[in-house]
């Protein structure tokens, strides 16, 4: 499990132990579930979208530390962003966890997930929350799968 120890930076461990925005929104405008069969990570998102901005977001579910920390960090980053901005962040984040390229700084605290690119099997854990978010925002009423 040495690879995981290297991956589990302090920030990731902290988000895993004290997840931000954990729970469900009572008055959600969008919701959706995600499942990563490779690892068994399950995730539910509820969102309050006003106009074209993410006013509030919560996540719940159970999964490995990477999936949970990634979801927690994602909720803190996308809150207040427009839908278009979240799509752009998803593209940048996907590039980060598949290549390690943190781009021009747009990613901010998401950059702590850069180490994931060295462990391809963990990429699906890290992107599960983002795939689920994308599905929610596009109104697709189906379980987001990482496969
Ligand atoms: Zn996982």
């Amino acid at each position: 499990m040495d690879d995981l120890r290297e991956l589990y930076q302090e920030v990731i461990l902290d988000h895993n132990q004290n997840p931000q925005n954990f729970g469900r929104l009572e008055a959600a405008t969008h919701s959706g579930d995600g499942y990563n069969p490779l690892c068994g990570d399950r995730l539910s998102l509820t969102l309050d979208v006003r106009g074209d901005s993410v006013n509030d977001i919560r996540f719940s579910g159970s999964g490995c530390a990477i999936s949970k920390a990634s979801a927690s960090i994602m909720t803190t980053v996308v809150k207040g962003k427009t839908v278009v901005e979240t799509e752009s962040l998803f593209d940048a984040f996907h590039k980060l966890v598949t290549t390690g390229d943190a781009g021009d700084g747009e990613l901010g605290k998401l950059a702590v997930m850069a180490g994931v690119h060295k462990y391809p099997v963990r990429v699906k854990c890290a992107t599960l929350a983002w795939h689920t978010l994308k599905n929610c925002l596009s109104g697709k009423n189906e379980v987001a799968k990482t496969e």
Side-chain angles (χ1 to χ4, degrees):
M1 284 308 209
D2 281 346
D3 60 336
L4 295 181
R5 197 164 300 139
E6 186 185 330
L7 253 178
Y8 288 3
Q9 295 186 37
E10 208 171 319
V11 180
I12 294 175
L13 286 171
D14 188 49
H15 273 276
N16 180 50
Q17 279 160 9
N18 306 294
Q20 304 295 300
N21 303 304
F22 193 81
R24 297 187 74 88
L25 288 174
E26 289 301 321
T29 58
H30 295 65
S31 64
D33 301 312
Y35 177 49
N36 173 17
L38 209 64
C39 181
D41 308 316
R42 289 183 185 279
L43 186 80
S44 295
L45 287 180
T46 47
L47 282 86
D48 175 19
V49 178
R50 300 202 187 159
D52 62 356
S53 292
V54 178
N55 182 57
D56 209 352
I57 180 169
R58 296 276 189 286
F59 84 98
S60 60
S62 61
C64 67
I66 292 290
S67 71
K68 217 163 135 187
S70 180
S72 175
I73 296 169
M74 182 190 81
T75 60
T76 67
V77 168
V78 302
K79 207 187 270 192
K81 294 273 195 305
T82 67
V83 171
V84 172
E85 284 168 339
T86 68
E87 285 166 0
S88 156
L89 271 174
F90 181 23
D91 290 342
F93 182 72
H94 196 265
K95 192 175 171 196
L96 175 79
V97 295
T98 50
T99 69
D101 179 357
D104 58 6
E106 174 194 20
L107 286 162
K109 60 184 124 178
L110 292 169
V112 298
M113 306 296 283
V116 169
H117 85 276
K118 286 185 253 173
Y119 310 98
V121 71
R122 293 280 149 187
V123 170
K124 294 177 190 302
C125 302
T127 54
L128 176 63
W130 290 88
H131 283 294
T132 308
L133 176 67
K134 198 173 183 178
N135 258 13
C136 282
L137 290 173
S138 66
K140 280 188 196 152
N141 201 8
E142 58 188 41
V143 177
K145 287 221 179 93
T146 51
E147 292 300 303

